[in-house]
Amino acid sequence: MTGPNTALALMVRPCKPTRGARHILLEDIADGLFRGPAKLGHGIDLLVRDAQAQSFPQAKALSLIPDIAVPHVLDGPNGTRGLLVFDGTLIDALIEQQTLGRISAAPRVERPVTAIDAALSTGFAQAVVGKLAEVSVDRRDASALAGYNCGAPQTDRAALSLAMSERSYDVLTLTLDLGPGLKTGTAVLMFPAAIDPAKPVRQQVNPDMVAALQDSELHLRAYLPSVRLPVKTLLGFDDGTIIPLPDGILGRAQLCDRRGVTLGKGRLGQLGGHRAFRLNGAPPPAQTPTVEMDVPPPAGLPKEALPEPLPDMGEDRVSPEPAALET
């Protein structure tokens, strides 16, 4: 069954998250990272119900942190940082186990986390990170996870965003069963995303598009350097008025596109009976500003003051071309 938005929905299908060997590794070691430290260090019969690892951009990765949670910053090698997050339910279970000796089945009372929550959860965070260090030694494929230490909790989300500054992160999200019928908590573990140098991004070139672009026409104009005249001289222009140009001005012409970007410099003239522009050297990387020249007013010019003919460009004679040329 289709509707008016079916075509649009097909065009904006969400992208599948990026997955690789690091994600499979994180999912594989998730149970050992949490269940052993919970049982041996805190007497909690914890069970990992679900573990999903994916890569996300930095903003998306941080948005996966629950609103009520204690993030523990993991200080890694070469200034890198990871993150270990316990949600409010897991925090309550850790506090109950340490204060009452058991986990209660009572539902969680919604409240913001406190400094006491952060302090009482730090021991379990350190145990998990210690287990991670053991795994990174025992398993060769986990060596990239070595060198992380459990730092201080950071509940300020603005400061956390500044601390976690990598472009993307590998994120492991876990659902933790804290006892049959008792509580179900959530933990998040993230590290800077692994970069696979064996898979470089290759740009696909469409030969038909290249051919079409090469055959398209461009509108080019040839300009002489600008000259400066007094306003009173300009107001005195009439049919047949002659404006003298500075010596060598034809050799300082510029070839520009429609946007006014200079594509090259050269000489403006005539070749084989046609208007021509001879380039001098490679095109410059940026537009070169025009040169303003002061010229005397043309009133009462004798014939001897007119510009002399230009020298030959080669086989053909070059004639003055003071106006703009469009090719």
Side-chain angles (χ1 to χ4, degrees):
M1 186 175 181
T2 60
N5 295 326
T6 302
L8 178 61
L10 292 175
M11 288 188 291
V12 295
R13 289 191 301 267
C15 295
K16 294 182 178 179
T18 305
R19 285 180 55 82
R22 170 80 74 87
H23 309 116
I24 298 174
L25 168 67
L26 289 174
E27 294 172 355
D28 189 29
I29 66 176
D31 186 75
L33 289 182
F34 285 83
R35 188 165 60 162
K39 180 64 174 178
L40 298 177
H42 292 76
I44 300 176
D45 291 325
L46 178 148
L47 182 63
V48 177
R49 288 293 185 187
D50 185 38
Q52 296 289 333
Q54 300 173 5
S55 283
F56 294 102
Q58 185 254 14
K60 176 62 176 176
L62 294 181
S63 71
L64 299 176
I65 300 176
D67 294 334
I68 305 298
V70 174
H72 296 267
V73 177
L74 307 182
D75 299 320
N78 301 321
T80 59
R81 287 190 175 95
L83 204 62
L84 176 59
V85 183
F86 301 148
D87 76 338
T89 302
L90 179 54
I91 294 293
D92 283 356
L94 292 171
I95 294 175
E96 290 171 353
Q97 184 67 26
Q98 294 177 67
T99 57
L100 304 175
R102 59 182 177 82
I103 297 176
S104 123
R108 183 179 193 278
V109 177
E110 292 301 323
R111 60 176 180 81
V113 295
T114 65
I116 296 177
D117 296 328
L120 293 179
S121 64
T122 299
F124 184 53
Q126 292 174 342
V128 172
V129 176
K131 187 64 176 179
L132 176 66
E134 296 178 10
V135 173
S136 63
V137 173
D138 297 338
R139 295 186 52 157
R140 181 178 302 176
D141 57 347
S143 59
L145 301 176
Y148 283 91
N149 299 305
C150 187
Q154 179 56 268
T155 56
D156 184 347
R157 296 303 175 95
L160 187 63
S161 178
L162 293 176
M164 307 294 290
S165 58
E166 299 291 338
R167 295 183 59 182
S168 57
Y169 287 87
D170 291 328
V171 182
L172 174 66
T173 305
L174 306 101
T175 301
L176 307 176
D177 187 348
L178 302 172
L182 297 179
K183 288 182 170 65
T184 301
T186 301
V188 179
L189 186 61
M190 64 177 66
F191 301 95
I195 300 176
D196 187 0
K199 296 180 180 180
V201 178
R202 299 182 60 186
Q203 295 183 352
Q204 299 294 330
V205 179
N206 187 337
D208 295 333
M209 181 65 70
V210 173
L213 290 175
Q214 291 178 343
D215 292 338
S216 61
E217 294 184 354
L218 297 178
H219 294 269
L220 303 179
R221 292 184 175 95
Y223 293 94
L224 296 177
S226 62
V227 296
R228 182 179 297 172
L229 293 174
V231 175
K232 63 180 180 181
T233 302
L234 181 64
L235 295 177
F237 280 177
D238 198 357
D239 289 342
T241 298
I242 298 175
I243 303 175
L245 299 176
D247 293 339
I249 192 173
L250 294 184
R252 292 183 282 113
Q254 298 176 352
L255 187 66
C256 305
D257 61 11
R258 277 184 168 179
R259 300 170 299 169
V261 177
T262 301
L263 303 178
K265 294 182 178 180
R267 186 177 186 83
L268 190 64
Q270 179 175 307
L271 183 65
H274 300 281
R275 295 175 180 178
F277 186 95
R278 174 181 286 170
L279 283 172
N280 294 332
Q287 183 176 0
T288 303
T290 57
V291 179
E292 294 187 352
M293 303 294 294
D294 290 322
V295 297
L301 281 174
K303 291 185 179 180
E304 299 81 46
L306 294 179
E308 298 181 358
L310 293 172
D312 292 339
M313 290 180 68
E315 298 179 357
D316 298 278
R317 181 180 62 83
V318 179
S319 61
E321 185 61 57
L325 170 65
E326 181 172 356
T327 60

